[in-house]
Amino acid sequence: MNRSRKIIAGILTAGMVASLTACDESAPVSSGNSTMMTTTPTTTADPDENAPTDKDAKQVETAGYTPDGNAGTVKYLGYYDIHDDQKGTEQCLVFESEQYGGKIEYISTPSGDAFREKLATLIASDDSPDITVGDALQYPGNVGKNLFEPLDNYIDSSSPLWIGMKDVIDLYEYQGNHYYYPHRITTSFALNYSKKTIADNDLEDPYTLYKNGEWTWEKWRELMIKFCDADEGNMGFYATDTILTGLIATTGTPMIEVLPDGTINNNTLSPDVSRAMAFYEKLNRDGVMNGRELNDWVSPELFAQNCDKLLFLGMEPEWTYTAATKQVQNPQGVENDILNTVSDFAFVPFPRDTQADKYYSAYNTYGFVVPKGAKNIKGAVDMINCFRVYDTDENVIAQVRADHVSPEPVYFTSGKYEGMQKWEIVWGEDEYDLWREMCDPDKFAFVNEGGFGFGQEFWNNYSILNNVAFEGESWTQLSAEINPVIESVLDDYRK
């Protein structure tokens, strides 16, 4: 086993079943890639679609954490409103109930560099938010810049509530302190597709191939070649440089690995990374790496409108599944909504590397950090614990699945749509169970791409991934040219 492989073991799966990731329909995954910019939704937002409904908060157990009901107002900085996101709607209801006594005040900001710049500005002006999403923490890039409060005195990772995430929490330890307590593991990147397009083109179903243990690099290649050969306008695959790392991760070796003891390994020239990039070169020669003919940035919404021509969208699957379905089923207003209908979209993990000893996969986490100078740290910690309780309550876990695959209708209680049903996505049972499986360390050996933690300027060096995959340039040549630059930057962190 390569020493560069980072495998997370012993993580309880109970904390992996809350609903969707922290991305709304117009905000891409923010892993530090400049090409993944904030996009404009294809429809104009209708404020009445966010009017109050009759949805009630779930009752969650408090054995693992007993709030005192005085969380107070928590100022939340984010590039999406967690109240309206399917990832956090339920949890916010719980936090803002009498049980916790909290109130979340949303401070809006664009995603990406603008998000981190605004956070730094607020901290410097003594107007810090109380909490923000874990994306703000770049490990090890900015964890030592005095931007965040260590939480060791507030949260015990060895407690029954947190023990299932302790191994992951410890990965983010810095100089003896823990700043980030992710409350669950999430999926990273996957291959999203339309089940109708698969059927219409008489292609083997990727999900069936995955379940049968036949979802490999070469099988993925075969499907794209067959699809692109059927029509000159067909496109096989779209991704960004960040998402291209999803295939590299299946080798078990990330581009950059940061070990808990602070060791930083640069694997840019490693045989595993080179082999994955050689496969991308082959796909380019096959003519299937042509998704950028559709647009430089293909959002889930744009994919939904063109999924008959683009076979696979490389993107975070929870967000893509929801946003693409919403684009089809929930146009502006509610009069034309397609209600109570299972989504026609699907996803599978990046295919297995047959030369690897295990099925490796990239992973992500979701959680919050507390900015330096926060005025209501106690309330922020209550909110962090609330999300963890929600993820580990057995009754809630079962109910969350039911809410995804057979949600109870929710109706507007005010506004121009009063009395009408509010659209909610209906997950397919296979898709929901696969999503859980993709977050399960018993099913996959997880690999962490440490290169994302050194900031946008550093990751820009890896734009050469795009040159290889989409322009057909040589990885051997480009990686040899860029490796000294990578090493010089990493050496500053190794001192």
Side-chain angles (χ1 to χ4, degrees), residues 2 31 34 48 130 297 359 420 446 459:
N2 289 348
S31 51
S34 61
D48 283 282
D130 298 309
W297 163 248
Y359 200 151
M420 299 180 70
F446 290 132
W459 187 254

Side-chain angles (χ1 to χ4, degrees), residues 218-427:
E218 282 300 326
K219 181 59 70 173
W220 178 39
R221 175 176 177 242
E222 289 175 18
L223 293 188
M224 290 192 290
I225 290 174
K226 182 177 179 181
F227 180 70
C228 290
D229 284 349
D231 189 297
E232 63 179 12
N234 284 354
M235 298 164 282
F237 177 52
Y238 171 86
T240 65
D241 50 6
T242 299
I243 295 166
L244 290 172
T245 62
L247 184 74
I248 297 171
T250 66
T251 69
T253 301
M255 305 285 288
I256 304 294
E257 180 188 33
V258 181
L259 298 176
D261 65 1
T263 300
I264 301 173
N265 295 323
N266 174 15
N267 301 316
T268 302
L269 301 181
S270 75
D272 282 345
V273 171
S274 297
R275 181 164 51 83
M277 293 310 298
F279 186 75
Y280 277 133
E281 290 183 53
K282 181 193 295 187
L283 294 180
N284 182 275
R285 292 193 296 270
D286 292 333
V288 302
M289 299 293 289
N290 53 350
R292 293 195 168 192
E293 294 176 8
L294 184 59
N295 200 36
D296 285 343
W297 163 248
V298 179
S299 66
E301 294 86 359
L302 185 59
F303 171 62
Q305 296 171 322
N306 296 273
C307 59
D308 59 331
K309 290 298 183 182
L310 176 59
L311 188 58
F312 290 108
L313 175 67
M315 202 70 68
E316 199 285 320
E318 300 168 84
W319 169 44
T320 302
Y321 188 74
T322 302
T325 303
K326 181 177 175 64
Q327 178 66 30
V328 173
Q329 296 186 359
N330 180 222
Q332 183 180 357
V334 303
E335 295 89 348
N336 298 315
D337 284 357
I338 301 172
L339 300 170
N340 310 319
T341 302
V342 174
S343 173
D344 189 53
F345 293 100
F347 53 85
V348 285
F350 269 84
R352 179 173 54 85
D353 175 11
T354 55
Q355 294 190 35
D357 60 339
K358 295 180 180 181
Y359 200 151
Y360 290 94
S361 179
Y363 79 106
N364 208 337
T365 61
Y366 188 72
F368 302 99
V369 289
V370 178
K372 202 71 175 178
K375 306 301 189 295
N376 187 10
I377 297 179
K378 186 265 184 190
V381 171
D382 274 351
M383 183 171 165
I384 292 170
N385 281 314
C386 173
F387 272 67
R388 181 60 181 162
V389 170
Y390 185 94
D391 287 355
T392 55
D393 182 286
E394 292 185 4
N395 293 326
V396 171
I397 289 170
Q399 186 58 52
V400 165
R401 185 184 189 279
D403 287 346
H404 279 71
V405 302
S406 56
E408 291 290 330
V410 173
Y411 297 90
F412 291 101
T413 57
S414 64
K416 66 181 180 181
Y417 301 127
E418 182 176 358
M420 299 180 70
Q421 184 176 343
K422 182 174 183 176
W423 178 84
E424 290 187 278
I425 187 172
V426 181
W427 281 61

Side-chain angles (χ1 to χ4, degrees), residues 64-65 131 149-163 165-166 169-170 177-183 367-370 377-388:
Y65 179 72
I131 198 168
E149 295 283 355
L151 299 177
D152 303 76
N153 292 332
Y154 302 93
I155 300 175
D156 179 7
S157 63
S158 299
S159 67
L161 180 63
W162 286 98
I163 190 64
M165 291 296 291
K166 180 174 171 48
I169 293 167
D170 286 344
N177 293 316
H178 296 84
Y179 298 84
Y180 180 45
Y181 285 69
H183 56 80
F368 302 99
V369 289
V370 178
I377 297 179
K378 186 265 184 190
V381 171
D382 274 351
M383 183 171 165
I384 292 170
N385 281 314
C386 173
F387 272 67
R388 181 60 181 162

